[in-house]
Every structure is written in structure tokens, then in C-alpha cells.
Amino acid sequence: MTVIVVEQGMLSSLRSWSEQGWIRALDYQFAKLISQVEGVPDELVLLAALVSNELATGNVCLPMSRLQNPLEHWERDMADVIARVEWEKNIRFFLEVLGDGCDENITTPLVLDQERIYLYRYWRYEVYVAEQLLQRANACNVEHKLLENGLSNLFPTNTDAELDWQKIAAAVAVQKRFSVISGGPGTGKTTTVIKLLALYIQQMQALGIEPNIKLAAPTGKAAARLSESISAAKLRLDLSEEIAEQIPTEASTLHRLLGVIPNSIQFRHDQTNPLHLDLLVLDEASMVDLPMMSRLLDAMPETARLILLGDRDQLASVEAGSVLGDICSWPGELGYSDKQSEQLQNLCQISRALPANQLESKFADSLALLRKSYRFDENSGIGFLARAVNSGNSQSVAQVLEYGYQDLTYLPLSRDSYETLIKDITVFYVELFRQVMSGGAPLNMLKKLSEFQTLCALREGPYGVSGINDRIRSELSARALIKTDTAWYPGRPIMISRNDTSLSLFNGDIGLALYDEDGRLKVWFEQDGGVRAVLPSRLPDHDTVFAMTVHKSQGSEFEHVMMLLPPDDNPVLSRELLYTGITRAKNSLQLCAQGKVLKLATERKTERAGGLALRLWQ
């Protein structure tokens, strides 16, 4: 192999970049490992660090195009080094170490596939997930007359003037081994799932089978919300007792479902030890990263069905990948093949044609989009703002904020408005702490806590979670409601940040510190419709949450939300972050932000590098 030296001491440069925070220590160590391979040039050592670092920003791979425009993606000192490499000319020299994935018997640290460079493991994840989803997006045998009658009974109203997208989604999901139902808040995802589960159970009963159905979500909080929603929907709907009994109401976290193995990235359930289920409903699928989706699919029995629920417009997973976004990246309007369209028309008793699939892809026949919100009506400022943000139209966003909707308040960020925000937050927590001191019951106090939340885009600084938490602690201390010299006090709200399977506490679970009947301070969590208490000393990693990041709020809803954006632009600010924060509010939203920052965030759409969408849709 020809060795072209770009710079002496490449590892020294990478170490310096790591110390300055431009790349991670992990990226430097990976590059160091690659440098020990005999004959490896400095260009490949550099490339190894760059590809590894892409995972830190949620990207699955490094597109070759970024190497041609380094100033757009890296610090100037890094970009100067990257720009001196003739990547297109020299990339072919690397194929002994940089494989192309064509030979499955050869494992290489890096893989070059369709002008995208991957770490081998993440390339395998992406290829496997695409293969599995495409294989599973096949039709199941169903009794069409039974399904048609069931749809008619569960979705009795239907007009061609306003299509019942819930009914269409249920018809899609019952026919497929893999399906996705995407929709914004209030579009009826849970109601649709309950009804399609009833239809599925009817189909199984006709075959003499009692199916094993499981519910799951990525976080403890999302699982609890799914359990509550399913339980409430079962009571609302007129289901036979026989069918209702077979619909589960308890959802678990994905980690709990798959079986965590301490100190391992593997799970107890995999291809050799698959899950014991016939159908899995996975809620909040936008939060599921690529490695986790790969492991879930690996553990799914070949004949089992998988239904993903989620909002394609929400923030993608914290870790690498945007699986739900890639699945839902259909061009233009979601449409169906001629065969699927005709079948849905017959099953749902629709006379007009459904939208056609522009790509003639069978994969689209497994997807459904709920378009009508039953929560945000024509008088809802929250609904209008969410739609304006999703469109990326900053002018429409400004118009919505100026209109004067009852459920929406806009405070242009300034020193005075920041203090107004602090005052409003303090008012809520003063009331909560007084109820706590009056001996409020744990379940009631947890319900009270869920009524209100402050969401920040950032973790650090006066406009981030740490700054808001510090200010609220000070305000409560000034009113003699807490002591600042102790970490624990009654009324302290916390969020778990690390899974602990032994305690059944998971990332995202929210607890509240309260005294028990014996006067001992414990942290109480709402689980399975009741409460349980844990000693503070036993808790896994956790944070105080007088405020939380928008990312951490995913899977939660609050009656009233205050959302604070920083005064200066930041790469984390995006359309998806705004939309996610806005739609956490059920009844009212107070937004505090500068107009210019709000404009930039609205117009910035998150684009994660990866090839899953291309593998699914091309």
C-alpha cells in the first residue's frame, strides 16, 4: 500500500483535538488503535477519528461529501488538515482496511458503502434493520370479511368527505407483520391501537389462537403513559369482555422487555433466545436509536408482528440514528400501491381513491399517517404553532404568536421577561411545597407535579436546566421551604438518568421526595396506577428537575409548559426541538425566546447522516 504522509504526528494532533473538545477521547483511542495496523497511512488514522466522532452528533456514518467541504462541518484547524487530503484519490488505497461490505466473511474496522463511511458495527446495524423491515413488511393472512365487519363496528362513522385515517391505519396494521402508525399529539394513536388490537384478537380467535401481546416504550415514563392510555381507552370503548381481557394494560421499557445483562450491550433475548410474544406494540418509536432497533428486531420471533407508534416530527433518538424518521421519509404525500388502495377501500368502505404511492414501493403499504388532531382544534394556538414550526415557516410562527390565542403566551426574551419566567415557575413550586408540607398523599403530589414543567433547550448556563434549577432552589430557600445545605428535602423532584433493572427504575422516570408514615424521607414514583417508594441512597444516577431539557421531556405530557430558548443561536436549536417542546403542552404553553433565535430554530431542520432511508425507499 502506498503511504502518503499528510502530517507528521497525526496522533499528536488528534490528542490535541480531543483535549480541546473537538473530538471525543473515544475517537482518539479508536484512531490510535487503527494506527497500530501495519502500513496504515495518516489519512486513514484521521478518517477513523472523524467517522467515530460522527456518532457523537447522532450520525450513523460520515458522508464523503463532508470531506470535500470541511469548513462547513469542523473547526478551522481541523478543517485545514482535512482539506489537505485528496480523499477521492486516496480512498481506494484504504480498501484493505476500509471494506465495501461486499464480502460478509471479511470484517473491517470501517466500511465504505455508497459514498458513506461507517464503523463496521453501525454499518451492520443499518443493513440488518433495513433487511428486517423490508422482509417483515409483508401481508399476513387475514379473514377479510371478518376484518371488514370489525372495522365497521369499531369505526362506525365514515364519509368520503373526511376520511377516517384511524380506521385506515387499523386496516393497514392488522394485515401486516410490520407496520407504523405515525401522528402528532391528539391524533388518536392509542385509540387506534386499542381498536386494531381488538381486530387482531378477532382474527386470532377465528384460528383458535389466544395471542400473546406485549406493550413497550423506550423509557419508564413513556411506558407508564402508554399503560395509562391503554387502560383509559379500554374503559371508553365498547369491547366484549372476552376481547378486552386479552388486551394488556401494562407496558414495559424496551430494556426490561429485552432483558438487560449487567455491564453488557447485549440482551438476554436475541435471535437464539427470542421474545415470547405474537405481537409487540412499541410506543414513542422516534426515541429508539439504530442499535436498539437492531437488537429488538434480532429478538423478534420470525412470525411475530411489530407495530411502531410515534410522531415522525419529534426529535430523533439521543444516540445515533433516526429510525422512525427514516421509515417515514416517504417522498411527498404518503400513498399506497394500487392493490393496497383497492383493498383498503373495500375494507373501510371508501368509494374515493386513496393517495397513490409515487415510488410504487410495497414498503409504503405498511405505513399509516394520522392526520386529524382531536386535541388541538381550530381555536388552539398550540396546534397552529406546532404546524407552523413543522412547516419551517418562521413568518407563520410569528403570526401565530402575535394572534392572541388563549392557550398560548409569548414572551420575547429579555432581562425582565426572564425574571417573569422565574417568578411564574416559583409560584407553582411554592404551592407544591406547601401541599407537601401539609402532608399531601404521594399519588396526589405526583399528579400535581405532572401539571407543570419548564423545558429548556440547553443543559448548562442561566438559560439552561442548571441555571433554572439553581434559581428555583434559591427562591424556595428564601421562602424557608427548603434548606440549601442538604441535598435531600421533601418536595425535591428528580428524574432518573440511568437504568437500574434491580429497582425497576429507568431513564426518564420522575420521582418526588416525601416523608413516609414513619417520618423517613423517600422518593416516590408512580407505577402501574399506584406509587412505590425508594430510599434516596439506593437511587441510580438522577437529576433535580425543577426544569428539564426538551430531549428529556419526550414521552411526557404536562398540563402547562413553559419553554425557554437561549438568547444566542446554538446548533441544538432545531425545528424538531421546538415542535417536541410545544407538543408536550396539553392545555397551555408559555414560550420565552428572542425572535431571531426562534426564526433560526424554525428554519433549521435536523438532518442525520445515514443510509437507512435510502435502503428502505430505493
Side-chain angles (χ1 to χ4, degrees):
M1 177 183 288
T2 303
V3 177
I4 305 171
V5 178
V6 174
E7 177 183 3
Q8 294 296 326
M10 176 57 71
L11 284 177
S12 177
S13 295
L14 293 175
R15 184 187 299 112
S16 174
W17 296 354
S18 173
E19 291 169 352
Q20 294 178 75
W22 297 346
I23 63 173
R24 303 171 299 173
L26 177 65
D27 309 324
Y28 164 70
Q29 291 297 332
F30 178 62
K32 187 176 180 181
L33 178 67
I34 294 297
S35 73
Q36 296 171 7
V37 178
E38 184 178 355
V40 167
D42 277 353
E43 292 96 333
L44 190 51
V45 175
L46 169 62
L47 187 63
L50 297 179
V51 175
S52 176
N53 188 241
E54 288 299 302
L55 299 177
T57 56
N59 294 320
V60 176
C61 62
L62 172 63
M64 286 287 292
S65 58
R66 293 192 182 182
L67 299 172
Q68 310 305 328
N69 302 289
L71 274 173
E72 295 181 12
H73 305 285
W74 291 285
E75 296 285 342
R76 177 170 292 278
D77 287 352
M78 288 181 66
D80 288 344
V81 174
I82 295 168
R84 293 204 296 270
V85 179
E86 296 182 54
W87 294 105
E88 290 289 349
K89 177 181 177 181
N90 293 304
I91 199 74
R92 306 307 162 192
F93 287 118
F94 304 157
L95 286 179
E96 290 181 18
V97 178
L98 189 69
D100 60 6
C102 292
D103 190 340
E104 294 185 359
N105 296 317
I106 299 177
T107 301
T108 57
L110 303 174
V111 175
L112 174 63
D113 185 350
Q114 299 294 317
E115 301 301 307
R116 298 182 301 271
I117 308 168
Y118 297 80
L119 296 183
Y120 178 84
R121 185 168 46 158
Y122 281 80
W123 174 79
R124 275 303 320 160
Y125 287 148
E126 185 177 283
V127 170
Y128 181 73
V129 168
E131 289 174 349
Q132 283 291 304
L133 295 184
L134 290 171
Q135 287 174 14
R136 290 177 177 273
N138 293 322
C140 299
N141 292 325
V142 296
E143 176 54 56
H144 286 84
K145 193 60 183 178
L146 179 63
L147 179 54
E148 181 183 337
N149 292 336
L151 285 165
S152 181
N153 292 332
L154 290 171
F155 301 89
T157 58
N158 185 54
T159 66
D160 283 355
E162 185 178 14
L163 292 174
D164 189 341
W165 293 106
Q166 292 185 10
K167 187 175 186 179
I168 292 169
V172 167
V174 173
Q175 298 180 82
K176 298 289 184 177
R177 275 205 303 138
F178 167 73
S179 58
V180 175
I181 300 176
S182 177
T187 52
K189 293 189 290 293
T190 303
T191 300
T192 304
V193 164
I194 282 284
K195 292 182 178 181
L196 76 84
L197 289 179
L199 295 168
Y200 166 72
I201 292 168
Q202 287 179 349
Q203 294 286 323
M204 295 299 102
Q205 285 178 337
L207 297 174
I209 299 172
E210 185 173 322
N212 185 356
I213 302 170
K214 299 290 186 184
L215 308 174
T219 67
K221 183 63 177 178
R225 274 197 55 232
L226 178 60
S227 298
E228 293 168 4
S229 300
I230 293 289
S231 297
K234 280 179 68 172
L235 294 175
R236 288 196 309 269
L237 298 176
D238 184 20
L239 301 175
S240 70
E241 184 176 341
E242 185 181 8
I243 286 180
E245 286 179 351
Q246 293 189 54
I247 297 177
T249 55
E250 183 177 346
S252 70
T253 64
L254 262 183
H255 286 81
R256 196 186 316 167
L257 177 75
L258 292 174
V260 173
I261 299 176
N263 303 315
S264 172
I265 63 172
Q266 304 303 321
F267 292 94
R268 290 190 177 89
H269 290 288
D270 56 17
Q271 199 169 44
T272 61
N273 180 30
L275 292 162
H276 303 294
L277 53 81
D278 298 302
L279 185 151
L280 173 65
V281 176
L282 175 60
D283 197 14
E284 297 291 350
S286 64
M287 300 170 67
V288 181
D289 57 55
L290 183 67
M292 180 59 81
M293 184 58 73
S294 176
R295 292 181 182 116
L296 173 61
L297 291 169
D298 194 42
M300 287 290 293
E302 186 177 345
T303 58
R305 303 190 189 203
L306 173 63
I307 300 171
L308 302 185
L309 303 180
D311 187 342
R312 62 173 182 161
D313 297 313
Q314 276 194 172
L315 282 165
S317 57
V318 175
E319 303 299 330
S322 55
V323 178
L324 184 66
D326 290 338
I327 291 172
C328 297
S329 62
W330 53 75
E333 184 180 12
L334 174 64
Y336 299 106
S337 67
D338 291 343
K339 181 180 178 181
Q340 175 73 319
S341 182
E342 181 181 354
Q343 195 151 269
L344 291 173
Q345 285 178 267
N346 293 332
L347 289 170
C348 300
Q349 299 172 345
I350 303 168
S351 61
R352 82 185 215 202
L354 294 171
N357 176 11
Q358 298 178 17
L359 292 180
E360 298 182 2
S361 168
K362 291 183 179 179
F363 188 65
D365 289 345
S366 293
L367 312 181
L369 178 64
L370 304 181
R371 294 158 167 87
K372 180 179 179 179
S373 175
Y374 298 89
R375 180 189 303 171
F376 302 133
D377 59 23
E378 65 275 5
N379 298 314
S380 170
I382 297 173
F384 275 110
L385 184 60
R387 288 190 289 273
V389 166
N390 257 346
S391 71
N393 190 328
S394 57
Q395 186 175 353
S396 294
V397 169
Q399 290 172 348
V400 172
L401 293 175
E402 292 171 1
Y403 188 80
Y405 289 100
Q406 292 291 316
D407 61 346
L408 184 60
T409 303
Y410 174 54
L411 295 175
L413 180 61
S414 65
R415 182 174 297 177
D416 288 342
S417 64
Y418 180 80
E419 292 303 322
T420 298
L421 189 81
I422 295 296
K423 180 181 177 181
D424 290 344
I425 300 170
T426 303
V427 167
F428 172 80
Y429 282 106
V430 165
E431 174 63 22
L432 174 69
F433 271 67
R434 285 176 177 164
Q435 290 187 27
V436 166
M437 294 174 72
S438 298
L443 184 58
N444 293 339
M445 294 299 92
L446 285 165
K447 296 289 188 187
K448 174 72 175 177
L449 182 63
S450 68
E451 291 177 4
F452 175 93
Q453 190 53 260
T454 302
L455 304 181
C456 302
L458 307 178
R459 286 189 57 85
E460 306 299 331
Y463 303 94
V465 170
S466 63
I468 297 295
N469 280 337
D470 288 344
R471 280 296 305 271
I472 301 306
R473 269 194 297 265
S474 297
E475 296 290 339
L476 294 174
S477 176
R479 291 164 174 78
L481 292 170
I482 64 173
K483 295 180 180 180
T484 56
D485 60 349
T486 179
W488 285 102
Y489 43 83
R492 180 188 175 192
I494 64 105
M495 175 183 278
I496 300 299
S497 57
R498 181 177 58 82
N499 296 330
D500 188 327
T501 53
S502 64
L503 289 174
S504 292
L505 291 176
F506 299 90
N507 186 9
D509 286 351
I510 293 177
L512 188 66
L514 300 166
Y515 289 119
D516 66 9
E517 294 178 350
D518 298 322
R520 294 177 298 179
L521 191 67
K522 293 183 178 180
V523 182
W524 301 76
F525 297 87
E526 186 175 359
Q527 289 185 352
D528 303 329
V531 292
R532 59 184 292 254
V534 179
L535 289 170
S537 59
R538 297 191 64 201
L539 290 177
D541 296 346
H542 56 272
D543 301 297
T544 301
V545 284
F546 292 120
M548 68 176 68
T549 61
V550 175
H551 277 87
K552 285 288 188 180
S553 74
Q554 284 184 273
S556 300
E557 289 179 342
F558 308 95
E559 298 297 322
H560 176 70
V561 166
M562 287 187 176
M563 184 158 66
L564 175 64
L565 302 186
D568 300 312
D569 189 28
N570 187 294
V572 75
L573 298 175
S574 67
R575 181 182 312 173
E576 293 80 5
L577 181 136
L578 287 180
Y579 173 82
T580 302
I582 291 165
T583 54
R584 297 312 89 200
K586 295 176 67 175
N587 292 328
S588 65
L589 170 71
Q590 186 171 343
L591 174 62
C592 189
Q594 285 191 2
K596 64 176 183 180
V597 171
L598 192 57
K599 180 178 185 296
L600 290 169
T602 300
E603 295 173 354
R604 178 183 290 127
K605 182 171 176 58
T606 301
E607 298 288 352
R608 287 196 165 177
L612 180 60
L614 292 173
R615 297 181 197 277
L616 294 174
W617 289 101
Q618 281 192 351

